[in-house]
Amino acid sequence: MSDLPPHDPHESFDEHFDDIVEAETERDPDLALIEAGSRTLRTQGGRQQADVPGRPEDPEVDKALREVEAELATRWGETKLEPSVARIAALMDVLGEPQRSYPSIHITGTNGKTSTARMIEALLGAFDLRTGRYTSPHVQSITERISVDGAPVSAERFIETYQDIKPYIELVDSQQEYRLSFFEVLTGMAYAAFADAPVDVAVVEVGMGGSWDATNVIDGDVAVVTPIDLDHTDRLGTTTAEIAAEKAGIIKPDATVILAQQPVDAAQVLLKKAVEVDATVAREGLEFGVVARQVAVGGQLLTLRGLGGEYDQVYLPLHGPYQAHNAAVALAAVETFFGVGSQHPGPLDTDTVRKAFAAVSSPGRLEVVRRSPTVVLDAAHNPAGARATAEAVGEAFDFSRLIGVVGASGDKNVRGVLEAFEPIFAEVVVTQNSSHRAMDADELAAIAVEVFGEDRVQVEPRLPDALEAAITLAEEEGEFAGGGVLVTGSVITVGEARLLLGRG
């Protein structure tokens, strides 16, 4: 049974909410399996979110897209930054400020941004709003980053958008000390595409930080801060408080801030910023939160406390406690956008909320891509994300023997990631993806041996060989013994594995 306190419908929420907050803060409930009901709930979903697109089938379109990708690749990559919004602001100016033609929900944080953005998008779409979503990085195709109406823009539309604004990009390049970066150009493309659609609301995920992130030329009516932890410490700061100070830059005057549960020092910084700009704050665990959750077939069944009331029997087809908390944050953000709690006292339509959540997908986040043995992909790339994934794997899957395939970027805390996975991996196959940022497989193996011991580490520099080796190790348990494979360490590793395993 769950550790959460029982919920009496005749008892006021406030009478036992303190107990719920205490239980949820621990985020370690003893969960029961829901054997019935979830299959039915899953068939009642709303508009399904599109899967990750592959390469265009038309050779001419594919050629044109590759030419755009090649041009973008000549610019500063996403890891080379000059902390300023001057260049993107100049581009917006010459484009006529497209980002001001629609309201927006702006999302920052360390982990959970993309999943939360996809949930917000699904909820808004279920209420008949035309959405634009901008997220990063992409899993397989660059076109995933810009979505309209819940689906990535077509390759043709992506190419057209780039060609439309290319003269303005070149104009700004000629006037600035540094050319627009890869991420800045994509951000400009997204804002232009949303204005052209046009969308009713944009859901925008920051690339890194907040204050000087290229996305921060919007004035988000709602600012969302997912959990903050240590990542990009060379650029954002070495403590969660310092990182929070950068991320607080998306909080604009008179906006409403939706705060996921945060480390105390990060919360203090964020709340101080909200006071300085006269922003309203809603905090997970106080104004909203997860009341109860139970493991269900293919996901979990939730009761969420929103700003306007309680939503029960919410089926979410994603695994892990952290996804339940992402759902609570997403719901509060959408309630805020619609004025629930300020202009409207009551909750959103519960059936619509249920249908929206039942249709959510998040590729590369505990995504099952093969059975016999089961192969799961997860883009965890920092210690906090890895710990959350390890907890979710133990809860959602009954593996008797789990083999890890890890390919990481050289600028990450790889030791912390490996230490988080050590308790759940019987063996680990270390590899590297095709990115220039990838850590060398032998270098990664040296760290893995220190964490796992030599007998539990195998080195396969080529990802296809690593997948084959891991699947072979998992199959040693026998067809029905419950062996599995988890591919993780980097979004790029997960995307390349997804292609190799026939998805996209």
Side-chain angles (χ1 to χ4, degrees):
M1 296 298 291
S2 170
D3 286 334
L4 297 175
H7 178 58
D8 181 351
H10 300 292
E11 180 184 359
S12 73
F13 183 84
D14 291 334
E15 287 174 359
H16 65 271
F17 191 52
D18 287 344
D19 291 334
I20 293 170
V21 171
E22 181 178 357
E24 274 302 299
T25 299
E26 296 299 322
R27 295 192 180 190
D28 188 22
D30 180 19
L31 298 168
L33 176 68
I34 300 302
E35 295 290 353
S38 60
R39 291 182 179 85
T40 303
L41 285 165
R42 192 165 192 166
T43 65
Q44 297 173 347
R47 182 180 71 189
Q48 292 293 318
Q49 290 184 314
D51 203 356
V52 175
R55 298 300 308 183
E57 294 183 4
D58 186 325
E60 291 301 315
V61 175
D62 186 51
K63 178 183 177 183
L65 180 58
R66 290 184 187 277
E67 289 173 354
V68 172
E69 291 170 325
E71 289 187 25
L72 290 170
T74 66
R75 296 179 176 275
W76 278 359
E78 290 171 282
T79 59
K80 186 172 183 179
L81 304 166
E82 193 274 322
S84 168
V85 295
R87 292 174 301 281
I88 187 67
L91 180 61
M92 293 296 98
D93 182 55
V94 297
L95 289 176
E97 304 290 348
Q99 83 282 13
R100 306 206 186 282
S101 64
Y102 39 78
S104 56
I105 297 175
H106 205 180
I107 307 168
T108 191
T110 301
N111 292 306
K113 296 188 295 295
T114 297
S115 293
T116 302
R118 294 179 70 95
M119 293 179 196
I120 291 172
E121 173 191 53
L123 284 163
L124 293 169
F127 285 97
D128 296 324
L129 292 184
R130 192 172 201 199
T131 56
R133 172 172 55 83
Y134 180 52
T135 53
S136 62
H138 57 275
V139 177
Q140 286 176 200
S141 172
I142 194 171
T143 60
E144 302 163 34
R145 296 183 179 227
I146 305 172
S147 292
V148 174
D149 270 342
V153 295
S154 66
E156 292 90 342
R157 183 71 189 114
F158 187 90
I159 296 162
E160 182 183 350
T161 301
Y162 176 74
Q163 295 298 341
D164 283 347
I165 72 169
K166 183 177 177 180
Y168 301 97
I169 294 170
E170 293 172 345
L171 175 63
V172 172
D173 283 344
S174 69
Q175 297 173 343
Q176 298 291 320
E177 182 180 1
Y178 304 107
R179 298 170 70 215
L180 287 154
S181 69
F182 170 88
F183 187 74
E184 287 168 336
V185 172
L186 283 175
T187 302
M189 289 173 60
Y191 290 161
F194 296 160
D196 189 57
V199 302
D200 298 313
V201 54
V203 182
V204 178
E205 173 190 338
V206 303
M208 187 186 299
S211 297
W212 40 259
D213 187 75
T215 63
N216 204 30
V217 289
I218 58 172
D219 293 322
D221 304 88
V222 182
V224 176
V225 187
T226 66
I228 291 173
D229 212 292
L230 299 180
D231 199 10
H232 302 295
T233 53
D234 56 330
R235 298 178 179 88
L236 302 180
T238 57
T239 68
T240 49
E242 291 175 349
I243 293 172
E246 287 294 337
K247 295 182 183 294
I250 74 164
I251 301 173
K252 305 297 171 58
D254 300 320
T256 299
V257 188
I258 307 299
L259 291 184
Q261 289 181 338
Q262 304 289 348
V264 173
D265 62 346
Q268 289 173 338
V269 171
L270 294 164
L271 291 170
K272 180 180 178 182
K273 174 68 174 184
V275 169
E276 288 173 353
V277 299
D278 200 25
T280 303
V281 177
R283 300 155 293 177
E284 183 187 5
L286 294 173
E287 285 77 29
F288 68 93
V290 180
V291 175
R293 69 180 201 91
Q294 295 172 301
V295 175
V297 178
Q300 51 194 309
L301 198 63
L302 309 176
T303 299
L304 301 175
R305 170 68 176 181
L307 302 176
E310 196 165 290
Y311 304 78
D312 63 0
Q313 296 291 303
V314 175
Y315 175 68
L316 180 68
L318 301 175
H319 301 290
Y322 65 97
Q323 294 289 18
H325 292 274
N326 289 341
V329 169
L331 177 60
V334 172
E335 284 184 313
T336 297
F337 182 80
F338 284 122
V340 172
S342 57
Q343 302 170 33
H344 310 293
L348 300 173
D349 180 74
T350 302
D351 285 340
T352 304
V353 168
R354 289 176 182 147
K355 289 177 181 178
F357 276 121
V360 167
S361 67
S362 194
R365 277 75 181 176
L366 282 180
E367 179 186 18
V368 177
V369 293
R370 171 183 164 151
R371 299 285 186 182
S372 298
T374 299
V375 178
V376 182
L377 308 180
D378 191 86
H381 56 271
N382 57 48
R387 288 191 295 269
T389 296
E391 178 186 6
V393 167
E395 174 185 283
F397 301 94
D398 189 23
F399 292 126
S400 58
R401 174 180 169 85
L402 181 61
I403 310 300
V405 174
V406 179
S409 296
D411 59 347
K412 296 297 181 179
N413 181 356
V414 174
R415 182 181 295 275
V417 170
L418 292 173
E419 287 174 345
F421 284 124
E422 189 276 333
I424 69 168
F425 286 167
E427 297 182 53
V428 62
V429 182
V430 297
T431 188
Q432 63 191 74
N433 57 55
S434 64
S435 168
H436 68 280
R437 295 171 54 203
M439 176 175 282
D440 178 78
D442 290 331
E443 183 182 351
L444 178 56
I447 302 173
V449 166
E450 294 176 3
V451 175
F452 287 84
E454 189 173 355
D455 293 344
R456 294 168 64 194
V457 178
Q458 183 170 333
V459 186
E460 295 290 350
R462 296 181 65 253
L463 182 56
D465 297 336
L467 291 171
E468 183 178 353
I471 289 169
T472 299
L473 288 169
E475 286 175 338
E476 289 179 358
E477 288 286 278
E479 184 178 357
F480 302 106
V485 174
L486 175 64
V487 184
T488 189
S490 164
V491 176
I492 297 169
T493 300
V494 163
E496 292 181 356
R498 205 172 186 274
L499 280 171
L500 289 167
L501 293 166
R503 297 297 295 269

